[in-house]
């Protein structure tokens, strides 16, 4: 990914408007779509950078579609262009796809997260494709002197009953002069020819042949390498350092300190601060900087309480970050004590207090889960070249639109002087939504007065945050004398956020329902982890529902369907955030495809779970065996309702990945602390799933409907935890309440 020359995105957009005499059409839900502006004079660069947010049609009928959203393996670089291609009515083999740079004028945040990419772009990209097709048809109609209604398209060819025909490219220049139509009629889903038909990953060949795609591949002439020596424990800060020996090491240019945020700095929606005082080493190569960093002599001291000012995602507020050195054992004790104190009522239906008072049987269980590290395959990195006039940054980032405003304030540069180029991410699912490493890179470059690549080692990445929070929840169910469920209560808390989604199932299905939550502040940095909060809720809730079903003498799926039918036909409350009918459809499909309850499967040790999050529904049946005293998931059946499935093979891969990810995290994942220091620093002591522990078969099924896509990256992940927990009970005869389950098994 050599990039010796750079050009501003705006000058490039102007110059590329007339390229190949073609049509370039912007698509965005913020600005609508319009033909690119033309300029009388052009000074074309010898080498072009990527362009943001355009469909480009060349005179030789090649169609280039620029993917606006960051890619970290969820395959949006294929699925988003497929949406455009569908309405544009082109032959997929003629499509070239490139990743765009960031441009918040065209696309707003360009945020990859929350399973939003396909859901949010579905209509805008269809409209963009349909508008471009209409303009091409109009150009042909005007050229041939025929009515617009008589011009048809197929696979990039314009035709008329008179026998006249033309490739899109032949009409592209004329089409660019036509006003963009609005209110385009979109295809009926039954007529889809590209969408719902599997397409290979457009970057697949580049990935397997090692072509430069990732932030780690990015380099420019004169680039230096930077690393940060951060405190060994959360709650510490820099006191003093001696870099005399470090500066004598080969290739080292400088050692200096920086502050990430000055006192009183207002952090934005996805800003965070793990360690604010940066001790930076800059040198020629990664190896030289790594070795020189070991020669630093550093003294650390306790940071004390710190006040942060936050804006966005909840409004402006001040938060006190405690300065204590935290240990996992003490954290669990703190959570147990806090759970006994009054909590915030998040939802209350009916009279749950009376229901529990009059109950013939009360079932109560408590579930615990540790911090989890993301462990992206590609460690954190970012390139920055900052001068007094402008800034160029490039690397793996999920939320450039959320990052740019803070970067503008930190550098004291207007947004139009900042260029953020998005590389393919080697993993993400929340970790790269928080841009402090980009800010670090930019500030280091500005101080060093040179282009730099900031590098984290694997140990840096694992011990620097950002983690899935530590959670606990207690569930209670009240049964009457006839084993009828008459009351339900969940109280959940965490460090430093509570996990409870109060308006999700089984809320709305039980007359007497209470949900409460609480939090304990911490200096351990947390953030989004694939399906935030849901990945714990689903484990606890779905495990508990199995115990309730057993106490009621009901089949686990039958109980869930009974409750969901109540929520569908006669719901309690008006704030239920799930569609009971879609939820039912997933469970029924799962029951059918897995053969749940059939005599031929009676010998299998299996568990089930289903969950709603991020606007979609997913469920799994897990078949488990014990080998050499250890649990192994042999086979998984999965059912998902995510609306229209754009690229089926890629969607199946996404679900399969979620299953393997969920099994590994539920059985093995844990990050613990002692006196503020993470006890796991690399894969030698942070346990992840091995190849031989992955299921031999994962069978994925989708509910077929014409609902607009509702997200897929996160929804399949949470119910895996609950299905594994329930399968463990069937396999071992014991219930496990503490993650990771494999560790809990050794304690029982």
């Amino acid at each position: 990914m050599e990039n010796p020359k750079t050009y501003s995105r705006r000058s490039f957009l102007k110059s590329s408007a007339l390229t190949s005499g073609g049509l370039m059409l912007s698509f965005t839900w913020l600005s609508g779509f319009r033909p690119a502006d033309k300029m009388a004079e052009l000074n074309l660069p010898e080498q072009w950078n990527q362009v943001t947010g355009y469909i480009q049609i060349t005179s030789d009928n090649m169609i280039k579609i620029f993917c606006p959203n960051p890619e970290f393996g969820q395959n949006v670089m294929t699925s988003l262009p497929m949406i455009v291609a569908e309405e544009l009515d082109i032959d997929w083999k003629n499509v070239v796809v490139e990743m765009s740079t960031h441009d918040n004028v065209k696309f707003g945040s360009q945020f990859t997260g929350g399973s939003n990419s396909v859901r949010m772009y579905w209509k805008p990209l269809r409209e963009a494709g349909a508008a471009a097709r209409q303009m091409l048809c109009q150009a042909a109609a005007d050229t041939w002197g025929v009515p617009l209604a008589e011009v048809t398209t197929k696979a990039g060819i314009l035709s008329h009953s008179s026998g006249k025909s033309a490739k899109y490219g032949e009409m592209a220049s004329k089409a660019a002069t036509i006003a963009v139509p609005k209110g385009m009629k979109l295809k009926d889903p039954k007529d889809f020819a590209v969408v719902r038909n599997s397409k290979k990953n457009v970057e697949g060949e580049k990935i397997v042949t090692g072509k430069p795609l990732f932030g780690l591949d990015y380099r420019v002439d004169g680039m230096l390498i930077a690393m940060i020596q951060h405190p060994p424990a959360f709650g510490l800060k820099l006191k003093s350092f001696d870099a005399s020996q470090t500066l004598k090491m080969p290739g080292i240019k400088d050692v200096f300190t920086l502050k990430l945020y000055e006192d009183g700095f207002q952090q934005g929606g996805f800003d965070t601060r793990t360690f604010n005082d940066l001790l930076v080493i800059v040198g020629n190569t990664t190896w030289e900087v790594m070795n020189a960093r070991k020669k630093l002599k550093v003294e650390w001291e306790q940071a004390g309480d710190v006040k942060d000012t936050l804006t966005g995602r909840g409004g402006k507020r001040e938060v006190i970050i405690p300065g204590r050195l935290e240990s996992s054992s003490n954290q669990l004790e703190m959570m147990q004590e806090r759970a006994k104190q009054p909590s915030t009522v998040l939802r209350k239906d009916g009279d749950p207090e009376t229901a529990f008072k009059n109950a013939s049987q009360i079932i109560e269980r408590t579930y615990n889960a540790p911090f989890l590290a993301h462990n992206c395959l590609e460690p954190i990195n970012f390139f920055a070249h900052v001068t007094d006039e402008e800034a160029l940054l490039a690397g793996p980032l999920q939320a450039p639109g959320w990052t740019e405003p803070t970067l503008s304030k930190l550098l004291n540069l207007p947004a139009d002087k900042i260029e953020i180029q998005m590389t393919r991410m080697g993993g993400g699912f929340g970790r790269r939504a928080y841009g402090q490493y980009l800010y670090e890179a930019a500030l280091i470059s500005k101080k060093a007065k040179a282009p730099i690549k900031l590098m984290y080692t694997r140990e840096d990445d694992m011990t620097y945050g950002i983690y899935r929070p530590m959670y606990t929840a207690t569930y209670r169910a009240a049964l009457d004398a006839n084993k009828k469920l008459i009351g339900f209560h969940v109280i959940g808390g965490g460090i430093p956020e509570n996990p409870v989604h109060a308006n999700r199932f089984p809320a709305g299905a039980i007359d007497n329902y209470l949900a409460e939550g609480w939090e304990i502040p911490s200096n351990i940095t947390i953030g989004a982890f694939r399906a935030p909060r849901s990945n714990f809720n689903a484990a606890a809730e779905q495990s508990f529902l199995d115990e309730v079903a057993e106490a009621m003498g009901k089949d686990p799926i039958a109980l869930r369907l009974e409750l969901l039918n109540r929520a569908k036909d006669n719901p309690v409350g008006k704030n239920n955030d799930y569609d009971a009918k879609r939820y039912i459809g997933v469970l029924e499909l799962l029951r059918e495809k897995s053969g749940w309850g059939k005599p031929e499967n009676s010998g299998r040790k299996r568990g089930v779970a289903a969950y709603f999050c991020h606007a979609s529904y997913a469920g799994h049946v897990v078949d488990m065996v014990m080998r050499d005293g250890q649990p192994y998931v042999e086979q998984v059946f999965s059912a998902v309702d995510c609306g229209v499935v754009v690229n089926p093979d890629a969607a199946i891969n996404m679900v399969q990945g979620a299953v393997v990810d969920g099994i590994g995290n539920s059985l093995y994942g844990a990050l613990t602390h002692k006196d503020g220091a993470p006890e796991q620093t690399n894969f030698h002591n942070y346990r992840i799933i091995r190849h031989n522990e992955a299921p031999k078969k994962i069978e994925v099924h989708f509910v077929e409907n014409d609902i607009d896509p509702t997200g897929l990256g996160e929804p399949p992940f949470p119910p895996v935890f609950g299905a594994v927990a329930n399968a463990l009970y069937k396999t071992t005869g014991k219930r496990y309440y503490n993650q990771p389950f494999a560790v809990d098994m050794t304690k029982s």
Side-chain angles (χ1 to χ4, degrees):
M1 196 174 290
E2 300 288 348
N3 191 22
K5 298 183 180 180
T6 60
Y7 304 87
S8 76
R9 64 182 176 222
R10 284 167 176 76
S11 65
F12 181 71
L13 293 179
K14 292 175 182 177
S15 68
S16 58
L18 296 183
T19 302
S20 301
L23 166 66
M24 186 171 280
L25 188 74
S26 167
F27 50 78
T28 167
W29 61 82
L30 295 179
S31 61
F33 20 80
R34 57 184 180 272
D37 295 333
K38 293 185 176 182
M39 295 189 67
E41 295 181 4
L42 298 175
N43 293 310
L44 297 178
E46 292 178 2
Q47 183 177 351
W48 290 356
N49 291 327
Q50 298 174 348
V51 179
T52 308
Y54 285 84
I55 305 166
Q56 183 179 355
I57 305 174
T58 67
S59 57
D60 59 359
N61 224 38
M62 292 300 294
I63 293 91
K64 184 178 286 187
I65 301 176
F66 291 85
C67 178
N69 256 27
E71 168 72 74
F72 55 54
Q74 77 280 39
N75 212 21
V76 294
M77 275 198 69
T78 305
S79 57
L80 293 181
M82 285 175 66
I83 298 170
V84 181
E86 180 63 71
E87 296 291 345
L88 187 55
D89 196 8
I90 54 180
D91 191 330
W92 182 253
K93 73 175 184 293
N94 291 331
V95 173
V96 176
V97 178
E98 289 187 14
M99 173 58 67
S100 70
T101 57
H102 171 61
D103 189 336
N104 61 1
V105 175
K106 298 284 184 185
F107 296 106
S109 64
Q110 291 178 261
F111 174 57
T112 291
S115 296
N116 270 323
S117 292
V118 173
R119 182 166 77 228
M120 292 191 68
Y121 276 96
W122 174 247
K123 186 177 180 181
L125 296 191
R126 292 183 71 191
E127 290 176 341
R133 175 182 171 276
Q134 176 85 345
M135 294 161 70
L136 290 161
C137 288
Q138 185 67 62
D142 293 346
T143 300
W144 298 335
V146 300
L148 172 63
E150 294 181 5
V151 179
T152 60
T153 62
K154 184 175 182 180
I157 304 295
L158 296 150
S159 301
H160 184 257
S161 58
S162 63
K164 295 178 179 179
S165 67
K167 296 178 180 179
Y168 280 4
E170 297 174 57
M171 296 293 174
S173 295
K174 189 167 186 176
T177 67
I178 296 172
V180 178
K182 297 180 180 180
M184 298 299 306
K185 182 180 179 181
L186 303 178
K187 281 188 178 182
D188 189 301
K190 66 179 177 60
D191 297 324
F192 285 163
V194 179
V195 168
R196 285 182 166 162
N197 290 277
S198 295
K199 304 298 179 186
K200 292 182 179 180
N201 187 324
V202 296
E203 290 193 312
E205 183 177 346
K206 295 178 183 177
I207 293 169
V208 299
T209 56
K211 295 293 190 298
L213 292 169
F214 300 91
L216 286 175
D217 298 319
Y218 193 96
R219 61 180 60 86
V220 301
D221 294 341
M223 184 182 79
L224 301 175
I225 298 296
M227 286 187 171
I228 296 169
Q229 181 66 33
H230 67 75
F234 294 94
L236 295 181
K237 68 177 182 179
L238 179 66
K239 181 180 180 181
S240 64
F241 72 96
D242 178 358
S244 56
Q245 296 303 309
T246 300
L247 290 167
K248 295 177 182 178
M249 295 289 286
I252 300 305
K253 300 294 186 181
D254 203 357
V255 178
F256 52 83
T257 60
L258 283 174
K259 277 188 177 295
L260 181 59
Y261 304 131
E262 296 297 335
D263 294 342
F265 185 86
Q266 293 186 13
Q267 299 177 36
F270 270 95
D271 295 344
T272 189
R273 176 198 50 74
T274 303
F275 300 109
N276 199 53
D277 296 324
L278 310 180
L279 176 54
V280 182
I281 305 94
V282 178
N284 287 329
T285 67
T286 303
W287 182 247
E288 288 172 326
V289 174
M290 286 177 65
N291 285 322
R293 187 169 63 162
K294 298 174 184 177
K295 298 293 184 179
L296 282 171
K297 296 181 180 178
V298 189
E299 285 189 81
W300 311 99
E301 61 183 354
Q302 286 201 235
D305 293 353
V306 176
K307 181 171 70 175
D308 275 351
T309 303
L310 309 178
T311 59
R313 297 200 300 167
K316 184 179 178 180
R317 60 205 183 279
E318 291 186 346
V319 177
I320 302 299
I321 309 297
R324 61 179 177 265
L325 302 179
E326 302 182 28
S327 297
S328 294
S329 57
N330 295 337
Q331 288 169 331
L332 185 57
E333 292 173 3
M334 290 169 61
M335 293 169 73
Q336 291 169 339
E337 288 300 314
R338 179 61 185 84
K340 299 174 184 177
Q341 302 170 21
S343 302
T344 301
V345 175
L346 304 174
R347 173 167 172 160
K348 184 177 181 180
D349 295 328
D351 187 355
E353 293 85 0
T354 299
F356 279 92
K357 181 179 178 181
N358 297 333
S360 295
Q361 181 181 359
I362 295 176
I363 306 164
E364 180 175 326
R365 300 291 184 266
T366 297
Y367 303 85
N368 299 303
F371 289 102
L372 293 176
H374 282 84
N375 297 326
C376 304
L377 186 61
E378 176 194 25
I380 292 296
N381 66 91
F382 224 85
F383 168 84
H385 189 188
V386 178
T387 68
D388 292 337
E389 293 78 31
E390 59 186 2
L392 170 68
L393 297 103
L397 182 67
Q398 287 180 234
W402 289 88
T403 303
E404 189 179 67
T406 295
L407 187 62
S408 178
K409 288 194 297 181
L410 288 172
L411 298 179
N412 195 28
L413 285 173
D416 63 359
K417 297 296 183 181
I418 296 173
E419 178 81 16
I420 300 176
Q421 297 183 4
M422 299 180 294
T423 62
R424 188 180 184 91
M425 293 178 274
F429 284 115
R431 176 63 180 92
R432 302 187 203 271
Y434 304 88
Q436 95 279 353
Y437 57 99
L438 180 150
Y439 309 148
E440 291 169 349
L443 291 171
I444 293 168
S445 174
K446 185 175 182 179
K447 174 79 172 181
K449 299 185 183 302
I452 66 98
K453 168 79 71 64
L454 174 64
M455 300 282 291
Y456 284 21
T457 63
R458 172 66 61 196
E459 289 80 4
D460 290 335
D461 202 358
M462 199 175 292
T463 60
Y464 210 130
I466 295 166
Y467 309 125
R468 195 282 298 270
M470 188 175 184
Y471 291 129
T472 187
T474 296
Y475 283 75
R476 295 196 303 150
L479 307 182
D480 67 11
N482 296 317
K483 300 292 186 182
K484 180 182 177 182
L485 180 59
I486 58 173
F488 196 93
H489 178 207
V490 55
I491 177 170
I495 299 176
E497 69 173 16
N498 90 70
V500 179
H501 289 280
N503 296 319
R504 291 188 184 166
F505 179 77
I510 301 168
D511 290 326
N512 305 297
Y513 174 89
L514 177 62
E516 301 177 90
W518 51 264
E519 299 92 15
I520 297 175
S522 173
N523 55 41
I524 297 174
T525 318
I526 62 96
F529 188 101
R530 193 173 191 174
R533 299 196 292 161
S534 298
N535 54 55
F536 171 74
N537 281 336
E541 169 203 290
Q542 293 293 304
S543 298
F544 185 67
L545 285 176
D546 259 37
E547 289 210 51
V548 173
E550 187 174 44
M552 296 172 69
K554 292 181 178 290
D555 172 81
I557 292 183
L559 173 62
R560 289 167 172 82
L561 290 173
E562 179 183 310
L563 292 171
L564 285 164
N565 275 297
R566 165 69 196 280
K568 177 173 69 74
D569 299 332
N570 187 23
V572 179
K574 298 180 180 180
N575 296 322
N576 307 322
D577 61 4
Y578 60 94
D579 183 331
K581 184 177 179 180
R582 292 181 69 188
Y583 212 141
I584 289 168
V586 163
L587 278 167
E588 289 179 338
L589 181 63
L590 186 61
R591 182 172 59 182
E592 173 197 344
K593 297 300 183 180
S594 68
W596 181 272
K598 291 187 176 180
E600 60 266 31
N601 294 321
S602 60
R604 298 189 182 190
K605 308 299 182 183
R606 49 183 18 189
V608 65
Y611 196 73
F612 158 79
C613 74
H614 295 84
S616 291
Y617 304 78
H620 308 285
V621 168
V622 164
D623 290 347
M624 184 176 285
V625 298
M626 294 293 289
R627 293 199 299 267
D628 301 323
Q630 297 297 317
Y632 290 86
V633 175
E634 287 280 279
Q635 182 170 245
V636 178
F637 296 89
S638 302
V640 180
D641 181 351
C642 59
V644 171
V645 178
V646 174
N647 191 354
D649 280 356
I652 290 170
N653 293 160
M654 180 76 80
V655 177
Q656 292 170 330
V659 167
V660 175
D661 196 12
I663 294 170
N665 278 289
S666 63
L667 287 174
Y668 312 116
L671 187 132
T672 58
H673 298 85
K674 184 175 182 180
D675 296 328
E679 294 185 287
Q680 294 76 32
T681 59
N682 207 321
F683 292 130
H684 70 288
N685 58 1
Y686 189 101
R687 180 79 157 86
I688 63 172
I689 192 169
R690 315 292 196 231
H691 282 288
N692 69 308
E693 294 163 341
K696 295 179 179 178
K697 183 179 182 182
I698 303 172
E699 189 176 301
V700 181
H701 302 275
F702 294 96
V703 175
E704 294 183 6
N705 56 46
D706 292 336
I707 297 172
D708 288 354
T710 55
L712 184 58
E714 287 160 296
F717 183 60
V720 178
F721 291 74
V724 169
N726 293 328
L728 272 172
Y729 171 64
K730 295 296 185 180
T731 305
T732 67
K734 296 180 181 179
R735 299 267 183 196
Y736 296 97
Y737 303 99
N738 303 297
Q739 295 176 28
F741 300 134
V743 174
D744 200 23
M745 290 176 67
T746 64
K747 299 176 181 178
S748 60

